[in-house]
Amino acid sequence: MPVQEFQLIEHYFRNGQRQREDVVVGIGDDGAVVRVPAGQELVLVMDTLVSGVHFPINTAAYDIGWKALAVNLSDLAAMGARPNWFTLALTLPDTETAWLEEFSRGLFDLASQYAMQLIGGDTTSGPLSVTVQAHGLVDEGEAMLRSGARPGDRIYVSGTLGDAAVALAGLQSEASVTTALRERLDRPRPRLELGQALIDVASACIDVSDGLLADLVHILESSGVGASVDSTKLPLSDAYREHESDVNLALSGGDDYELLFTADPDQSSRVEAIATQLKTPLTCIGEITRDTTMQCLDAQGTPMALGRLGFEHF
Amino acid sequence: MPVQEFQLIEHYFRNGQRQREDVVVGIGDDGAVVRVPAGQELVLVMDTLVSGVHFPINTAAYDIGWKALAVNLSDLAAMGARPNWFTLALTLPDTETAWLEEFSRGLFDLASQYAMQLIGGDTTSGPLSVTVQAHGLVDEGEAMLRSGARPGDRIYVSGTLGDAAVALAGLQSEASVTTALRERLDRPRPRLELGQALIDVASACIDVSDGLLADLVHILESSGVGASVDSTKLPLSDAYREHESDVNLALSGGDDYELLFTADPDQSSRVEAIATQLKTPLTCIGEITRDTTMQCLDAQGTPMALGRLGFEHF
């Protein structure tokens, strides 16, 4: 949709943005041109949301815009990066102005919180799908990776787990879901300040998007270690406890967008200080082990059968 | 598809790539980390191909992989950038290994010609769609833009026009299409060397993806100028002339992936030298005018009615 596309981009995605000084060329040419300061490295993340797969079909356009950027900022957070720019590939079945208005409002409401600039993208016709690539910076060699966890490190997670999964289960069973719970699913708040604060504290870090255990497995595999998780320590919200009688959704539900990280026990006072300073709960839920298996202990200290949660092969 | 996705990426997109020295972290973490040398600027381009919209549904997987990267490299070419890295967001209805094998072969056959490295991406379930973001570098302030065309500049285009459109029209009418013509549609060859050679020669540049006139309009609008195009000068292949009796598809057919650029008449000997050196036809098809309209003259020197081609509003 050449001409239409151009007008679309002009109207909803170009106008009214504050120009960042490090953007040489933004939207409106064959590509964008940006500057990366000396001594810094560029961090790139990319995530696609497909309608009906990554968000319920009836999700509000505002929330789709918000979430498409938020899930990417969560990845930048996990690397400790400072967010700068993003690009958007939007595939739309049709061009409804009311939808676009709300979508772009959600997108820019989040972007402007971090003075991020949309610098380019593509708009195509097709089944609804949104791909965002976000770009951030870290000081040379400072990016937090999945690969630094060492035996004896403590395992921490921010915030509470499983709320988005509870909201999704509620929607799927057509139960009533509170606004607060629904917000955990539709408007995740990326932990950018936390990620940056953890840069020289955490030994490994990942964001929890696929579910706690699935993402912990990524750290364990990258680091060549194992873990023992105490399921009684999982941080659960009151809303979670109201809806769920066990920890399964907290262990394996997706869409948490919390940070899961490991740190040497020597760092525990710094972890506590960061939690206080950022007013963000950081809960120790277990320990990294030399033995390369993953154990999750129940209230009796007995290893849970993780096969039911899809982890039979680890 | 968390676990499946991970295995998919590992198998088809990670293995066997040559590691570039400027890639600090590639596939396999929350994001990629790369280095941009001092004195250079980062150029980012992003294009989505949707099945049935940007390529015929029966297109070979190899060609989809090739084209998804090629259309992005064509944008980098238009800015004069040197290609380095790319990311891939792949949405697939199902996980057919034969399809993925061929898709990744097409993608990497092109990538390896330019020593490009795939540094990240996302794989999701849904209707087939491929988004690539490609990253290149230019020396500070050297990117070619659409906005530099000046009255009196000559308008040039590389290669031949309309071949992909002829191939597509042939497929749609179930006529037989030669392999050479079909290749113009399915395996465009981005003009990267040409783009880099034009950096201090061209006053404005764009790649022809939406059709010659549509892309010329982008230059004219960005530069605040007009143009007079001589339709008898359009470079047409023998195959084009065999199938078509008029220039309409050369003027408005898409998918050419040639470079359209403007240059001061003082630069004409340098343009000729570049054409010779790169063995790439560069044809002068018209001139930039002060008057901000676009004219296209037929063999009698009469302005053609562009309304039929969708340009009534310019």
Side-chain angles (χ1 to χ4, degrees):
Chain A
M1 41 174 157
V3 176
Q4 211 179 350
E5 173 189 347
F6 192 71
Q7 290 168 342
L8 240 165
I9 292 173
E10 281 285 321
H11 187 74
Y12 291 103
F13 299 124
R14 187 177 186 171
N15 296 334
Q17 279 204 90
R18 217 178 53 186
Q19 279 286 120
R20 289 177 59 99
E21 282 194 3
D22 51 16
V23 176
V24 183
V25 178
I27 294 175
D29 214 296
D30 288 287
V33 183
V34 296
R35 285 196 209 99
V36 174
Q40 301 193 32
E41 290 171 343
L42 178 71
V43 181
L44 307 102
V45 300
M46 186 186 222
D47 257 317
T48 300
L49 302 188
V50 178
S51 180
V53 179
H54 301 93
F55 54 85
I57 289 171
N58 66 354
T59 303
Y62 181 98
D63 294 336
I64 299 171
W66 176 286
K67 189 168 181 176
L69 182 59
V71 300
N72 279 284
L73 297 192
S74 184
D75 281 323
L76 285 183
M79 303 199 85
R82 301 175 288 275
N84 281 8
W85 320 294
F86 66 108
T87 53
L88 168 71
L90 180 60
T91 303
L92 282 176
D94 43 43
T95 314
E96 276 180 46
T97 54
W99 192 94
L100 277 164
E101 180 100 30
E102 280 301 292
F103 173 84
S104 58
R105 210 164 57 80
L107 189 71
F108 287 118
D109 274 1
L110 181 57
S112 63
Q113 289 187 15
Y114 298 99
M116 294 186 81
Q117 187 175 333
L118 176 65
I119 54 172
D122 193 16
T123 321
T124 49
S125 321
L128 181 59
S129 145
V130 192
T131 297
V132 167
Q133 174 148 332
H135 314 90
L137 299 175
V138 287
D139 292 344
E140 228 167 77
E142 293 285 298
M144 286 192 289
L145 305 182
R146 298 175 176 179
S147 53
R150 296 292 166 257
D153 283 357
R154 292 186 181 160
I155 303 169
Y156 293 89
V157 69
S158 64
T160 58
L161 293 168
D163 297 314
V166 169
L168 186 62
L171 290 175
Q172 283 167 344
S173 64
E174 295 179 28
S176 76
V177 171
T178 63
T179 310
L181 214 48
R182 181 86 207 234
E183 276 217 350
R184 287 301 308 263
L185 178 66
D186 291 336
R187 294 194 204 166
R189 292 178 184 274
R191 298 287 192 185
L192 283 157
E193 295 81 3
L194 175 61
Q196 291 163 35
L198 289 173
I199 271 210
D200 53 355
V201 175
S203 52
C205 188
I206 192 170
D207 77 312
V208 184
S209 53
D210 295 335
L212 179 77
L213 294 182
D215 289 309
L216 180 56
V217 165
H218 291 317
I219 287 186
L220 303 184
E221 290 189 334
S222 297
S223 302
V225 293
S228 176
V229 171
D230 182 347
S231 72
T232 66
K233 299 273 176 65
L234 299 179
L236 305 177
S237 66
D238 292 343
Y240 184 98
R241 291 182 201 274
E242 268 169 42
H243 286 83
E244 296 293 310
S245 57
D246 61 38
V247 292
N248 291 357
L249 285 184
L251 287 171
S252 66
D255 273 343
D256 287 313
Y257 302 107
E258 296 294 347
L259 295 188
L260 173 68
F261 63 97
T262 59
D264 189 282
D266 286 355
Q267 299 287 341
S268 53
S269 61
R270 291 183 69 191
V271 172
E272 282 165 36
I274 290 169
T276 307
Q277 194 202 328
L278 298 180
K279 300 190 178 70
T280 304
L282 300 177
T283 309
C284 178
I285 59 168
E287 199 179 286
I288 295 295
T289 60
R290 193 170 303 276
D291 171 11
T292 58
T293 58
M294 181 171 67
Q295 270 202 340
C296 188
L297 307 176
D298 66 16
Q300 285 71 46
T302 313
M304 297 169 69
L306 299 181
R308 272 193 315 128
L309 300 171
F311 294 92
E312 55 275 45
H313 296 307
F314 193 74
Chain B
M1 43 176 155
V3 176
Q4 211 179 348
E5 173 189 349
F6 192 72
Q7 290 168 344
L8 238 165
I9 292 173
E10 283 285 320
H11 187 74
Y12 290 103
F13 299 123
R14 188 176 185 172
N15 296 333
Q17 279 203 89
R18 216 177 55 184
Q19 279 285 121
R20 290 177 59 98
E21 283 193 3
D22 52 16
V23 176
V24 183
V25 178
I27 294 175
D29 214 296
D30 288 287
V33 183
V34 296
R35 283 196 209 100
V36 174
Q40 300 192 33
E41 289 171 342
L42 179 70
V43 181
L44 308 102
V45 300
M46 185 186 222
D47 257 318
T48 300
L49 302 187
V50 178
S51 179
V53 179
H54 300 94
F55 54 84
I57 288 170
N58 66 355
T59 303
Y62 181 98
D63 294 336
I64 298 171
W66 176 288
K67 190 168 182 175
L69 182 58
V71 300
N72 280 283
L73 296 191
S74 184
D75 281 322
L76 285 183
M79 302 199 87
R82 302 176 287 276
N84 280 10
W85 320 293
F86 67 108
T87 52
L88 168 70
L90 180 60
T91 303
L92 282 175
D94 42 42
T95 314
E96 277 180 45
T97 54
W99 191 94
L100 276 164
E101 180 99 29
E102 281 300 292
F103 173 86
S104 59
R105 210 164 58 79
L107 188 73
F108 287 118
D109 274 1
L110 180 57
S112 63
Q113 288 187 17
Y114 299 99
M116 293 185 82
Q117 186 175 332
L118 177 64
I119 54 172
D122 193 17
T123 320
T124 48
S125 322
L128 181 58
S129 145
V130 192
T131 296
V132 167
Q133 174 150 333
H135 313 90
L137 298 175
V138 287
D139 292 343
E140 228 167 74
E142 292 285 299
M144 285 192 290
L145 305 183
R146 299 175 176 179
S147 52
R150 296 291 165 258
D153 283 358
R154 291 184 181 161
I155 303 169
Y156 293 90
V157 69
S158 64
T160 57
L161 293 168
D163 297 315
V166 169
L168 186 62
L171 291 174
Q172 282 167 345
S173 64
E174 294 180 30
S176 75
V177 171
T178 63
T179 310
L181 214 48
R182 180 88 207 230
E183 277 216 350
R184 287 299 309 264
L185 179 65
D186 292 336
R187 293 193 204 168
R189 292 177 185 275
R191 298 287 193 185
L192 283 157
E193 295 80 2
L194 176 60
Q196 290 162 38
L198 289 173
I199 270 210
D200 53 355
V201 175
S203 51
C205 188
I206 192 170
D207 77 315
V208 184
S209 54
D210 295 336
L212 180 76
L213 294 183
D215 288 310
L216 180 56
V217 166
H218 290 318
I219 288 187
L220 304 185
E221 290 189 332
S222 297
S223 301
V225 293
S228 175
V229 171
D230 181 348
S231 72
T232 66
K233 299 272 177 65
L234 298 179
L236 306 177
S237 67
D238 292 343
Y240 184 98
R241 292 181 200 277
E242 267 170 42
H243 285 83
E244 296 293 311
S245 57
D246 62 38
V247 293
N248 290 358
L249 284 185
L251 287 172
S252 65
D255 273 343
D256 288 313
Y257 302 107
E258 297 293 350
L259 294 188
L260 173 68
F261 62 98
T262 59
D264 189 283
D266 285 356
Q267 299 287 341
S268 55
S269 62
R270 292 183 70 192
V271 172
E272 282 165 34
I274 290 169
T276 307
Q277 193 203 330
L278 298 180
K279 299 188 179 72
T280 304
L282 300 177
T283 310
C284 177
I285 59 168
E287 201 179 285
I288 294 295
T289 58
R290 193 170 302 276
D291 170 13
T292 58
T293 59
M294 181 169 68
Q295 270 204 338
C296 187
L297 306 176
D298 65 16
Q300 285 72 46
T302 312
M304 297 170 68
L306 300 182
R308 274 194 314 132
L309 301 170
F311 294 93
E312 55 275 45
H313 297 306
F314 194 77

